Amino acid sequence: MVNKEEFRKKIINTAGQIFSRYGFRKTTMDEISKALKMGKSSIYYYFPGKEEIFEAVVLNEANILRNELTKAIKSVESPLEKMRNYVFVRMKAFEKLSNYYNAIFDKNLDHFDFVETIRAKYDREELAILRLILYDGARKKVFSVANSEYTALAVQTALKGLEVPLFWKKKDVDIEERLNGILDVLFYGIVRK
Amino acid sequence: MVNKEEFRKKIINTAGQIFSRYGFRKTTMDEISKALKMGKSSIYYYFPGKEEIFEAVVLNEANILRNELTKAIKSVESPLEKMRNYVFVRMKAFEKLSNYYNAIFDKNLDHFDFVETIRAKYDREELAILRLILYDGARKKVFSVANSEYTALAVQTALKGLEVPLFWKKKDVDIEERLNGILDVLFYGIVRK
DNA sequence: AAAATATTCGAATAATTTGGTCGATTATTC
DNA sequence: GAATAATCGACCAAATTATTCGAATATTTT
């Protein structure tokens, strides 16, 4: 292979597909290697172990999500649409990612530390983005936000609340419909005017 | 439980869902029992083992498919629509069932004998149905079939050909589009009139 | 209610799977 | 052609998992 780093990416992609389908536990090194048309032991030349591959996959997925999100809010102008796009893309992504999570918290106690780390970092980023959208909206006289920090936190809390059913069982609730409900409240409030 | 046979059905249904998602190998007795909210060992009171559960599931799935198919051809009148309905429902079902098969032929040599048996029986039934549709069409002067047996076989061969990519990797080809292509040839032939 | 039967269960076990190691082998580069 | 990079198959120890078994609990029958 020309470039070692290039092949690592290939492994991350291939493994990512299998992980997303079967989760961490049910995915075997043998499967990954077979999918790569490669001896099982050869993978250990590129990664120290299964967990490290998974870590790289999750990190990669987080980056992809970040890109999609920034693209989503850049694709429209109005703060209203930015907010709508952001939450929709975010929730769609989490729907897809729920397999990974289901896999991790499968049954056993041992959460992977790095997932928490990535998640924490991601949460901070999200808060910043939300604040930016809110702030921008306020500047453009579209939103009327008393405190963008607290409002951003409120939005984030609502989104996290929507994640929960994703990780339990899928398809029980229509996420899209509930998202619209949340956005409605967010945009127009519950107080009659 | 009131009825033992009733509970066997419940096991078949629950296990079926898990099998269809993860395949035979990746599905564990523990998962099945947990999904049934039941001790793992209790399942052995209803089934001798994992393979037997799987066999019951596959048999069950075959029966469901049979029902769907007969319903599909009964729901319409014209032989043309009957044929179209039949092949579409059939292929949709196989798309869903491909997980089971992928699971079986996973890697290891040992195909389950009963799958072959069921399949053989199913193939004979299918041939009979196809012949019936063709024959009925000929009677109604919609089709012009020289030999309904050979034509039925030709249709079946084409359908089997479409199965292959399903069991390899999914989504590579658009089954629906190719189905339409096949039906076009079947209905109108390749000879310009 | 006692006996018989049906059902569930947890712990133990036996068989299989699987993540990972290692030395050898093959390809590539110097 | 030596040195290095990359691949591989055989092997192993640990973990997972299917299955067994005897005991416990529920249900039915007498």
Side-chain angles (χ1 to χ4, degrees):
Chain A
M1 202 52 53
V2 193
N3 192 346
K4 190 170 176 179
E5 203 50 39
E6 209 59 35
F7 200 76
R8 276 177 57 98
K9 281 183 190 160
K10 193 176 175 185
I11 293 178
I12 292 173
N13 277 331
T14 309
Q17 281 173 254
I18 307 177
F19 277 132
S20 82
R21 180 166 173 77
Y22 294 118
F24 181 76
R25 299 198 61 182
K26 283 182 191 293
T27 298
T28 71
M29 294 294 282
D30 208 63
E31 272 180 298
I32 297 175
S33 68
K34 285 249 171 64
L36 287 160
K37 296 180 207 305
M38 168 181 250
K40 182 173 53 159
S41 36
S42 302
I43 297 186
Y44 290 88
Y45 181 71
Y46 296 94
F47 285 94
K50 191 181 170 185
E51 279 196 28
E52 283 80 2
I53 298 180
F54 188 69
E55 179 169 351
V57 165
V58 172
L59 208 65
N60 182 243
E61 217 68 41
N63 285 335
I64 291 176
L65 174 55
R66 198 200 323 272
N67 286 342
E68 280 176 1
L69 286 175
T70 51
K71 203 172 69 184
I73 57 178
K74 274 185 183 166
S75 73
V76 288
E77 259 305 307
S78 87
L80 230 99
E81 281 182 298
K82 274 184 200 294
M83 182 64 82
R84 187 177 292 276
N85 269 10
Y86 180 86
V87 297
F88 267 85
V89 170
R90 187 204 127 114
M91 289 314 291
K92 284 288 170 207
F94 269 82
E95 215 168 345
K96 190 189 120 200
L97 255 58
S98 67
N99 280 334
Y100 288 93
Y101 283 84
N102 275 331
I104 302 167
F105 303 120
D106 199 356
K107 53 176 80 174
N108 46 6
L109 12 112
D110 45 79
H111 311 212
F112 292 73
D113 289 343
F114 68 84
V115 176
E116 319 253 4
T117 309
I118 294 174
R119 178 70 203 239
K121 185 180 159 220
Y122 177 81
D123 277 356
R124 280 195 303 280
E125 286 179 18
E126 169 160 86
L127 221 49
I129 294 174
L130 289 175
R131 283 188 69 175
L132 206 71
I133 297 178
L134 289 171
Y135 187 82
D136 184 54
R139 200 175 52 81
K140 288 180 180 165
K141 311 265 192 226
V142 181
F143 295 153
S144 141
V145 192
N147 183 324
S148 70
E149 184 179 346
Y150 287 146
T151 310
L153 257 170
V155 175
Q156 191 175 49
T157 306
L159 293 178
K160 275 175 188 275
L162 269 186
E163 287 172 21
V164 177
L166 279 180
F167 299 152
W168 263 92
K169 265 298 180 221
K170 46 193 58 189
K171 287 293 157 63
D172 286 10
V173 282
D174 186 7
I175 302 289
E176 229 165 295
E177 201 172 321
R178 292 184 58 176
L179 252 191
N180 273 321
I182 290 177
L183 283 175
D184 248 25
V185 173
L186 175 65
F187 288 162
Y188 307 110
I190 55 170
V191 180
R192 197 133 132 232
K193 297 196 194 67
Chain B
M1 204 48 54
V2 194
N3 191 345
K4 189 168 174 180
E5 203 50 41
E6 209 60 33
F7 200 75
R8 276 176 56 98
K9 281 181 190 162
K10 194 176 174 186
I11 294 178
I12 291 172
N13 277 331
T14 309
Q17 281 172 257
I18 307 177
F19 276 132
S20 82
R21 179 164 173 77
Y22 294 118
F24 180 76
R25 299 197 63 181
K26 283 181 191 294
T27 299
T28 70
M29 293 296 280
D30 208 63
E31 273 179 301
I32 296 175
S33 67
K34 285 246 171 66
L36 287 160
K37 296 181 209 305
M38 166 181 251
K40 188 173 37 165
S41 35
S42 303
I43 298 186
Y44 289 88
Y45 180 70
Y46 297 94
F47 285 95
K50 191 180 168 185
E51 279 196 26
E52 283 80 3
I53 299 180
F54 187 70
E55 179 169 351
V57 165
V58 172
L59 208 64
N60 182 243
E61 217 68 42
N63 285 334
I64 291 176
L65 174 55
R66 196 199 325 271
N67 286 342
E68 279 177 0
L69 286 175
T70 50
K71 205 173 67 185
I73 57 178
K74 274 185 183 165
S75 72
V76 289
E77 259 304 307
S78 87
L80 228 99
E81 280 180 299
K82 274 184 199 293
M83 182 62 85
R84 186 178 292 276
N85 269 11
Y86 180 88
V87 297
F88 266 86
V89 171
R90 183 203 130 114
M91 288 316 290
K92 283 289 171 205
F94 269 82
E95 215 168 346
K96 189 189 120 201
L97 254 57
S98 67
N99 280 335
Y100 289 92
Y101 283 85
N102 276 331
I104 304 167
F105 305 120
D106 199 358
K107 52 177 81 176
N108 48 5
L109 14 112
D110 46 78
H111 311 214
F112 293 72
D113 289 343
F114 68 84
V115 176
E116 318 254 2
T117 309
I118 294 174
R119 178 70 202 238
K121 185 180 158 219
Y122 178 81
D123 276 356
R124 280 196 303 279
E125 287 179 18
E126 168 160 85
L127 220 49
I129 294 175
L130 289 174
R131 282 187 68 176
L132 206 73
I133 298 178
L134 289 171
Y135 188 80
D136 184 54
R139 199 176 51 82
K140 289 180 179 165
K141 312 263 193 229
V142 181
F143 295 154
S144 138
V145 192
N147 182 324
S148 70
E149 185 179 345
Y150 287 148
T151 311
L153 256 170
V155 174
Q156 192 176 49
T157 305
L159 292 178
K160 276 174 187 274
L162 269 187
E163 288 172 21
V164 178
L166 278 180
F167 299 152
W168 263 92
K169 265 299 179 216
K170 45 193 55 188
K171 287 293 159 61
D172 285 13
V173 282
D174 186 9
I175 301 291
E176 231 166 290
E177 201 171 322
R178 291 184 56 176
L179 252 191
N180 273 321
I182 290 177
L183 283 175
D184 247 26
V185 174
L186 175 65
F187 288 162
Y188 308 109
I190 53 170
V191 180
R192 195 133 134 232
K193 298 197 190 68

